[in-house]
Amino acid sequence: MLLLIAIRMPVGLSMLVTGALGYVYLSSWPAFFAYMKANPYHQFANYTLSVIPLFILMGAVAERSGLSTDLFRAAGVALGRLRGGLAMALIGACTAFGAICGSSVATTATFARSALPEFRRIGYEPGFATGTIAVGGTLGILIPPSIILVVYAITTEQNIAKLFMAALIPGLLAATFYCIVIALVVRAKPALAPPAEPLAPAERRAAIAAVWPTMLIAVIVVGGIYGGIFTPTEAAAVGAVAMLMLALVRRRLGWAEFRDSILQTAETSAMIFIILLGSEVFDAFLALSRLPADAAALVGGLGLSPYAIIAILMIFYILLGAVMDELAMILLTLPVFFPIVQGLDLGLPPEEVAIWFGILVLIVVGIGLTAPPIGLNVFVVSAIARDVPIAKTYRGVLPFIGADILRLVLVAAFPALALWLVRLLS
């Protein structure tokens, strides 16, 4: 499978081909055809999967209608006059945008287009600016709703709403740590990020007034899920319709932008679904081979402490995430790793272990999105900022990766950081 990925075959197709051949090898062609006759239909007829295109559509409409630019300007009103304040404003805007867009790549691309010209106008060092944008983009999946968490929940049969609750505090912790890193970096090297010129009072009021409807939609979507008013799927539908209505009322969404939003939603959803199908077939092959059960028994017999095993898995995820697509990485490893984690005695109920491990995986995915040599977010920014060498962007993200590793250690050592809100609201 890795060989097929290396020769540029799509990840979902690589998993599908390898899983199919393995399934046939361990059983027979008739058994495989009987499996394919029923299982893919039941997988994609799952009502819960509709949350994926709905959240993608909500983010696509917000991006195409320029609502992300409003968020950035409003955050710049509060922080722009500080040295490094515009970078902190970007982190704040990405945090808010993450509440209406569950995609890291979409968040990165959106703010690369809207924020980079402002960074250049003020005189930010190019590598620091692009690195901050790449890291800020990870908040698209760290702040609920998150497509990665939806896929994790469906794969491990966990409650999506509880995973969204668990992700909030670690996500806000990420935004806080990123702002601290910016403050420390610009204090050491003030030339990296000069302060912005203050806006006139009328411009400040206009920037703040433009952003409150978008924030209201985010509060309704996330607050509705946390408050049990509606399910994540219903929340995604409400958010998508509300975002579309807002864009139309403001006359920011023409036919071309609407068409692009639909196409982006269809393409991204199709990519995710083909990976899900490939993962399903590959998982069936692994189940026939008994690899997950044998791996869990092997790890259990090593005599290592549960937290030592978690640490080893996290290190492996960081290394794998640096060279592999994050969604494929999760779907590839969960069939093997999840039974191992569920078998550990961590002093928590099995459901809480599954939720906590999901947040750890989410944090590691965020690291993989910016870490060399792949760092998908870095490639997205580089495709837009073609005049900035990719090595400069990687240097710009390195301090933030240190903050991510610290956050991973904290959440691993103190599971209550992820579970407190779940226990409070459940």
Side-chain angles (χ1 to χ4, degrees):
M1 187 193 64
L2 294 176
L3 178 61
L4 292 176
I5 293 173
I7 62 174
R8 299 304 183 98
M9 180 181 283
V11 172
L13 188 58
S14 301
M15 298 175 78
L16 178 61
V17 169
T18 308
L21 293 177
Y23 195 108
V24 171
Y25 176 76
L26 294 176
S27 57
S28 65
W29 281 108
F32 175 69
F33 289 141
Y35 169 82
M36 291 298 291
K37 180 180 178 181
N39 284 62
Y41 170 78
H42 289 297
Q43 180 186 17
F44 292 118
N46 185 352
Y47 169 76
T48 307
L49 277 179
S50 59
V51 74
I52 294 176
L54 287 170
F55 274 133
I56 294 172
L57 178 60
M58 182 167 63
V61 171
E63 176 189 351
R64 293 287 190 270
S65 59
L67 297 176
S68 56
T69 304
D70 293 340
L71 291 171
F72 181 58
R73 287 175 178 169
V77 168
L79 300 170
R81 297 178 64 181
L82 302 174
R83 187 172 294 277
L86 203 61
M88 297 180 191
L90 173 76
I91 298 300
C94 287
T95 303
F97 192 73
I100 54 177
C101 176
S103 168
S104 174
V105 171
T107 304
T108 304
T110 298
F111 284 97
R113 286 189 287 264
S114 62
L116 198 56
E118 189 68 8
F119 281 137
R120 284 173 167 162
R121 185 183 69 81
I122 293 175
Y124 270 57
E125 195 276 325
F128 179 69
T130 54
T132 303
I133 293 170
V135 170
T138 63
L139 292 164
I141 61 168
L142 296 177
I143 300 294
S146 167
I147 299 300
I148 294 293
L149 278 185
V150 171
V151 172
Y152 177 90
I154 293 171
T155 305
T156 59
E157 298 181 351
Q158 299 302 311
N159 186 289
I160 297 177
K162 289 184 178 180
L163 279 163
F164 283 177
M165 294 175 194
L168 183 61
I169 292 177
L172 294 177
L173 196 62
T176 303
F177 278 14
Y178 293 160
C179 288
I180 292 173
V181 168
I182 291 169
L184 293 175
V185 169
V186 300
R187 183 175 182 179
K189 297 181 179 180
L192 291 178
E197 298 176 1
L199 295 176
E203 292 177 313
R204 291 200 297 269
R205 287 193 297 269
I208 294 173
V211 80
W212 73 263
T214 307
M215 295 305 301
L216 179 61
I217 293 174
V219 170
I220 291 173
V221 170
V222 178
I225 295 173
Y226 289 2
I229 299 173
F230 33 59
T231 66
T233 304
E234 293 164 348
V238 169
V241 172
M243 195 62 66
L244 180 61
M245 294 294 292
L246 176 61
L248 291 175
V249 167
R250 290 187 168 183
R251 298 184 178 181
R252 290 186 173 184
L253 193 72
W255 171 247
E257 290 80 11
F258 178 71
R259 181 192 59 195
D260 289 345
S261 299
I262 295 296
L263 286 175
Q264 179 183 333
T265 302
E267 291 171 358
T268 306
S269 299
M271 179 270 293
I272 293 174
F273 285 175
I274 191 62
I275 292 177
L276 286 172
L277 176 61
S279 170
E280 179 74 12
V281 176
F282 192 78
D283 292 354
F285 158 54
L286 290 181
L288 283 177
S289 71
R290 291 190 51 80
L291 176 62
D294 291 344
L298 175 64
V299 172
L302 293 177
L304 298 174
S305 70
Y307 278 95
I309 294 172
I310 292 292
I312 292 171
L313 294 181
M314 290 300 103
I315 292 171
F316 182 79
Y317 264 128
I318 291 174
L319 296 176
L320 193 62
V323 297
M324 194 173 183
D325 174 77
E326 70 276 7
L327 184 59
M329 176 184 74
I330 290 176
L331 292 173
L332 176 64
T333 57
L334 279 180
V336 179
F337 288 176
F338 190 70
I340 293 174
V341 173
Q342 286 290 82
L344 298 177
D345 183 12
L346 294 161
L348 297 170
E351 184 188 29
E352 290 193 351
V353 170
I355 293 172
W356 171 65
F357 183 67
I359 301 307
L360 293 180
V361 170
L362 186 69
I363 295 173
V364 173
V365 165
I367 296 174
L369 284 167
T370 55
I374 300 298
L376 185 58
N377 280 14
V378 174
F379 279 86
V380 171
V381 174
S382 295
I384 296 172
R386 296 182 181 275
D387 58 325
V388 182
I390 195 169
K392 280 191 173 184
T393 303
Y394 275 126
R395 282 197 295 270
V397 304
L398 285 179
F400 297 101
I401 292 177
D404 280 332
I405 292 175
L406 173 61
R407 182 165 53 95
L408 177 64
V409 171
L410 287 175
V411 176
F414 304 102
L417 287 172
L419 299 173
W420 176 77
L421 198 57
V422 178
R423 294 166 177 170
L424 179 67
L425 299 178
S426 298

